[in-house]
Amino acid sequence: MNRTVRTMALLVSMVGMTTGLLMALTLTGPARRTTLTISAAASMTDAAHELADAFEAEHPGTKVELNLGATGTLKTQILQGAPAEVFIGASEKHTDDLRRAGRLAGGRYRILCRNGLALVVPSSSSILPGAGWDVLDQRTTRRVAIGEPSYVPAGRYAVAWLKRQGRYARLADRFVHANTVRQALAWVEAGEVDAGIVFATDARMSQRVRVVASAGPEVFEEIRYTIAVTELGAGHPVAEAFLEMATGPTGQAILTGHGFVPVAR
Amino acid sequence: MWEVMESIGITLRIALPATLLAVVAGGGLAWLLAGRRSTPAAVVEMLICLPLVLPPTIMGFYLLTLLGREGLVGGPMHRWLDTGIIFTPMAAVVAAWAAATPIVFKTLKAAMETVDADLLGAARLDGASEWRLLLSIRLPLAGKALLAGTLLALLRAMGEFGATLMVAGNIPGKTQTLSLAIWGAVMTGEHVKAHVLAVTLCVLCLGVVLTVRSLDWGLGGRSLSG
């Protein structure tokens, strides 16, 4: 009797364990087509989807899988050997970290496109469009949202831009730091802050904020999105082809359609 | 709409096996450690509970270092089997499993420890083995706790986000669960889509809770929610 009970218990737990593992294994189905995995900055989500669709249309039999995340996260994943063949980053600094760690094919990357900064206020605000960056100096602008400058690219760019204008030091105590540029935008939308500095493409997507000043690539050229074939993608013709398409006329037209500024030729 | 359906499928295909594995692992560990007061037992218990206290992103980072191409587990897998699990649904199962196991463990361990020691002593005196105690006394008495622990684990697995994002990536149609899709929609400013996905996740959770509740009634007794 005792032995039967023991065998039963063992059997039940074994069956449970195997079922769990098998269920998990079936998730990883066989790969039928050539798959290209692209890690792309989350601020590029819509444009990246369109680039992927265009590429799949040009290359039948190739499936593009997009991994969308914060540029810093994508970098960490690649440093740990995650299987991404192409990397699109919102910050040249992170891309350069990967290059120096030897994770980019041939140690090379290209500039994919550029972006600008926008000063936004809640749409309920009385500040008018075109009011300019002086809005930041007004006494009624008590709290300004920016991304945490140490790890959110948009925040770092905002600080660099304000420093260049000589405004940063006297405004430093007004800033509220957000975890992502999206969070900064959400605070402005909710009216929790009086203003916020976000990417021009972010400002464009929201109907609940008003752009009162902007700094495009013609005055602030530092915001460059990069694209590179990773060490793992080295020698894969499909990865190289994607790079060519994205930096070529087709890709640049798609990016322009989403508010990004094409690379100066 | 298709995207939402796809995310529901992915969420369930990841959360269900993860929960099953968490129940086996958490339950087994609870049985092994119930009633033990030694220092090694305390250390093991602390290790099991780490995923509860560590921010999911850090948990994900540790899993990534462990399972990645250069990791302790991922390294040999890559060298000898030429395979890897980063950016696959399997990685999401591991992340959800790590998050859900301590929940089952703590719930079941507490339930097992409330079993009257005299009852177990009497059974032992009558010659019952530890397995017999488990099947005839501990588990029947802990039935409700097992159900509650499983429910909590499943909900936690369905909502898992930070660690999943790190090890499984956020790949639509492959590893993008409802939680990841909600985050993606918020990131791209698609608030309507985010709301639709959030409501879907809530309805799905409600379905799970109601199912478990009916099971609980089946066990005889009051419902989990009182």
Side-chain angles (χ1 to χ4, degrees), chain A residues 2 5 9 67 77 103 182, chain B residues 70 129 131 165-166 170 187:
Chain A
N2 224 331
V5 170
N67 172 37
Q77 289 171 333
R103 295 311 174 113
R182 277 274 138 205
Chain B
E70 270 123 69
S129 70
W131 279 105
L165 181 66
M166 208 66 169
N170 171 33
M187 286 295 278

Side-chain angles (χ1 to χ4, degrees), chain B residues 191-210:
Chain B
H191 293 124
V192 176
K193 188 176 165 195
H195 290 317
V196 170
L197 287 164
V199 169
T200 310
L201 187 59
C202 291
V203 170
L204 206 59
C205 286
L206 193 71
V208 169
V209 173
L210 289 178

